[in-house]
Amino acid sequence: MIWGDAGDTRARRVRSGLVLTVAALVLTTGCVATATEARSVAEAASEPTPEASPVPTPVATPVVIPADGPVVGEQTVSGVGPRTEERVPLAVPAAARSVLIDLSCDAPSHFIAELGDAMMLGQAQLSGECDGSRTLAWPWTYGSSGMLWLSIGPEVGWTLSATYSSEPFAQDADLVEECEAYTQVHSQVSNADDGYGFYAAFGADEWNTRMDAAARSAEALAAASDTQLADGFAAMHRVLADRSPIPGGMTEVQEFWEVHRPIAETCAWNHSEIVVYAEFGG
């Protein structure tokens, strides 16, 4: 197994029903500067700071309201990445019950999108390649916000075509159930690693017992699954059964995240996101 997959997108952690903040995009590291480095920094700070180029403001078309049918409005917005600070305002009509977005880019780029406060609404961030292959969709409910957080590669031009519908978001109930069940498996693994390693709450025997339990749960999920997640659950069972040779290191194994990511992505696009019910900390 390959260790140290630093690129993984890890699940949100919750304890006693409350969601703990998770680092999402940028991990900040610090170091102690030497005297020479400090002097260099000071000299650099005294030099004039070049004026930063402003990020172009997105250009939005007025909302078009069709004459009939479930579509209650359409809108096009275009801009240039990245947009990690300022949100893109969408003019969602009052009659809307779902928001659908077709996103395209003028160059290859990964994207991350969040409509309003997804965590508060029990929804998810959506991510993928900006190639127009999938329609982004969100429920529009009480508390929803038309402010879209959109991260695109630097200098990449993007265009979104939003459709506002009076029909509710078509959430797959079977996926909701299976994603919640997989959340329990993922939490078992995360808590086993944290309890053995960071919190030193138990030893290697207990860690192995917990891994065995997680592997059995994944196997049962695979056998009972009626959705496209069945193969992913089976693959997770094999990864957990094989497991890390070092207690406390399951979530440091690259194969674990390679299997987890597609499961988590499928659940996110259904807005039945995978979280971690944290047993330790908080």
Side-chain angles (χ1 to χ4, degrees):
M1 292 187 174
I2 301 173
W3 293 76
D5 183 18
D8 65 85
T9 304
R10 307 209 178 189
R12 292 174 180 156
R13 300 176 62 82
V14 299
R15 179 176 175 82
S16 302
L18 298 178
V19 179
L20 301 181
T21 304
V22 177
L25 294 177
V26 182
L27 297 177
T28 305
T29 59
C31 61
V32 179
T34 64
T36 301
E37 289 169 337
R39 185 167 57 254
S40 298
V41 170
E43 291 170 353
S46 66
E47 297 176 358
T49 302
E51 185 175 348
S53 300
V55 175
T57 300
V59 178
T61 63
V63 174
V64 176
I65 303 177
D68 52 23
V71 176
V72 295
E74 296 174 328
Q75 185 181 22
T76 301
V77 185
S78 59
V80 178
R83 297 196 56 77
T84 55
E85 299 294 335
E86 182 182 351
R87 290 182 177 245
V88 180
L90 300 180
V92 184
R97 295 187 66 191
S98 60
V99 175
L100 298 87
I101 292 176
D102 290 310
L103 180 66
S104 61
C105 294
D106 61 12
S109 176
H110 189 80
F111 76 87
I112 304 174
E114 178 181 357
L115 185 61
D117 188 338
M119 186 179 294
M120 179 190 73
L121 295 170
Q123 298 173 11
Q125 289 185 347
L126 305 183
S127 63
E129 296 306 312
C130 186
D131 55 11
S133 62
R134 292 183 77 173
T135 297
L136 289 69
W138 286 270
W140 185 259
T141 62
Y142 178 79
S144 292
S145 166
M147 302 304 290
L148 178 72
W149 182 83
L150 181 63
S151 176
I152 299 284
E155 308 304 321
V156 174
W158 54 267
T159 299
L160 66 83
S161 298
T163 300
Y164 308 122
S165 175
S166 61
E167 295 183 343
F169 173 77
Q171 189 177 51
D172 187 320
D174 289 337
L175 277 177
V176 171
E177 183 178 346
E178 291 190 9
C179 292
E180 173 59 27
Y182 177 74
T183 281
Q184 303 299 327
V185 176
H186 189 63
S187 296
Q188 283 179 291
V189 175
S190 178
N191 287 323
D193 274 6
D194 287 349
Y196 176 84
F198 187 80
Y199 292 97
F202 45 73
D205 289 345
E206 174 66 13
W207 181 84
N208 276 292
T209 297
R210 288 174 177 240
M211 285 296 107
D212 287 338
R216 289 193 299 270
S217 296
E219 183 178 29
L221 274 178
S225 175
D226 293 321
T227 74
Q228 65 267 42
L229 294 178
D231 289 344
F233 294 154
M236 182 56 74
H237 165 251
R238 291 191 293 271
V239 169
L240 294 177
D242 187 32
R243 88 183 44 167
S244 160
I246 301 177
M250 192 68 248
T251 54
E252 300 301 325
V253 175
Q254 182 171 316
E255 286 86 346
F256 174 84
W257 294 106
E258 288 174 348
V259 172
H260 170 79
R261 282 195 193 98
I263 298 173
E265 180 178 297
T266 298
C267 292
W269 284 73
N270 192 55
H271 291 288
S272 45
E273 190 178 25
I274 303 303
V275 297
V276 172
Y277 295 112
E279 181 179 349
F280 304 97

